[in-house]
Amino acid sequence: MEYKIALIRGDGIGPEIVEEAVHVINTIGRRYGHQFIYTDVDLGGCATDKYGVSYPEGTAEKCKACDAVLLGAVGGPKWGPDKPAEQRPETALLAIRKDLGLYANLRHATLRPALVDASPLKKETAEKGIDIMMVRELIGGIYFGKRGRYETEDRGVECTDLMAYSEMEIERIGRRAFELAQKRHKRVASVDKANVLETSRLWRATMHRIAADYPDVELEDVLVDNCAMQLVRDPSQFDVIVTENMFGDILSDEASMVTGSLGLLPSASIGSHAPALYEPIHGSAPDIAGQDKANPIATILSVAMMFKYSFDLPQESEAIEQAVDAVLAAGWHTADTMGSDDKLVGCQEMGRLICEELER
Ligand code: IPM
Ligand code: MG
């Protein structure tokens, strides 16, 4: 088979980690007899430098012509919050998510066996295991609501960010979560703030209404503050977590950190139509960019998700996961997950070791 992949290398460490992921994809291609055709797409701060805007015209169309999109990372201090919206990398990231209709963001937080020591949790807590599928609503809520800034007579400047959710938006993300749970441990924790927010009350009611269609799945409501606490107290209790956009942004960073490193967690953003977009959940880490220090594993595991969800090639996906675990178990680590007995490698060497493992 032949697959077309759009590569958004992006800013900071983005180009380095995408390069290693491409080596992994090509290795899989050789081993399993697939062809991959790549299209480079400029998006983010690098696009601002080149064209003056972070989301050049035709970006979505270029991506739509492919079967899947792989994104490294975008952003950096050079294009900070004081810059006009059209120059900021984050604007482009939100725009591509919206234009591709990627409403479901799957962030898989697992504690890899070789990394129990890298987790900041107490050993007895970490050893209970972590395997959470975080399902974050990605194109609604406060991220996309109306914003405003205006002068008041007596209180200085005032701003608003509107959080709106429709039943349709809640239902489609809810169904994704229940379907995923059916293939996992059959538990969904729906996270909201229904004791305060009207959007959360609709969220909760909708989740309970659709739950009737998934009698084999157990649904639990968890308030967002409690969820934040439970994630560090005992993350082993969670199977699938489903939540709105901003809660999901915050909780997924927390979930990733308890597994040992932001540098390990992949994500898939999926809509109703192809292509889906795959990216590590970490940012562009400008402080270590270009120094061959970044951990390419989250991007490589994002490729594993791509094989599973976009190409329906579970065997290839599993092979990548296993190769990553084998390399970590052999004691090879980038600086972010290094323990005292481990051997330090850079980004390129980590990529090479994983490819070598795949060739075995
Ligand atoms: C993420 C990031 C983005 C988000 C930023 C860069 C806009 O934090 O993907 O989690 O908030 O969605
Ligand atoms: Mg985030």
Side-chain angles (χ1 to χ4, degrees), residues 94-290:
L94 299 193
I96 189 74
R97 288 173 178 170
K98 188 79 168 180
D99 287 349
L100 297 181
L102 307 172
Y103 65 84
N105 182 219
L106 277 43
R107 297 187 163 183
H108 193 190
T110 50
L111 184 62
R112 312 205 83 83
L115 286 173
V116 174
D117 289 337
S119 169
L121 298 179
K122 278 200 207 122
K123 202 161 183 197
E124 63 262 32
T125 309
E127 273 171 355
K128 288 166 92 180
I130 304 172
D131 180 355
I132 304 171
M133 184 58 87
M134 182 85 78
V135 182
R136 168 187 176 192
E137 200 291 322
L138 202 60
I139 55 173
I142 198 165
Y143 272 61
F144 292 92
K146 255 207 190 115
R147 299 184 205 297
R149 175 181 281 258
Y150 45 88
E151 289 287 341
T152 64
E153 267 178 17
D154 50 351
R155 301 181 308 283
V157 174
E158 200 168 278
C159 294
T160 62
D161 292 280
L162 183 74
M163 161 132 66
Y165 267 109
S166 66
E167 253 182 303
M168 178 279 281
E169 290 173 301
I170 301 168
E171 180 165 341
R172 68 181 177 185
I173 189 76
R175 291 197 182 278
R176 279 278 176 176
F178 279 101
E179 285 158 17
L180 281 161
Q182 283 181 322
K183 294 188 192 141
R184 293 172 43 95
H185 302 290
K186 302 192 166 47
R187 283 182 291 120
V188 169
S190 167
V191 174
D192 63 36
K193 189 72 185 172
N195 51 350
V196 177
L197 302 177
E198 196 57 26
T199 42
S200 282
R201 284 187 278 272
L202 180 65
W203 182 278
R204 193 175 280 207
T206 306
M207 288 294 163
H208 282 267
R209 174 168 60 74
I210 64 174
D213 296 338
Y214 309 89
D216 52 331
V217 178
E218 187 190 318
L219 170 65
E220 176 193 18
D221 301 306
V222 185
L223 291 171
V224 63
D225 48 350
N226 183 28
C227 182
M229 185 271 278
Q230 297 296 340
L231 276 171
V232 289
R233 195 187 66 84
D234 178 17
S236 74
Q237 67 185 285
F238 294 111
D239 177 21
V240 173
I241 291 179
V242 63
T243 192
E244 67 88 34
N245 205 343
M246 189 163 68
F247 295 162
D249 177 45
I250 299 168
L251 294 176
S252 60
D253 267 31
E254 189 188 3
S256 71
M257 195 56 224
V258 299
T259 69
S261 168
L262 265 173
L264 295 176
L265 287 216
S267 84
S269 302
I270 301 176
S272 313
H273 307 284
L277 182 148
Y278 299 84
E279 60 175 317
I281 88 147
H282 60 71
S284 60
D287 53 321
I288 58 163

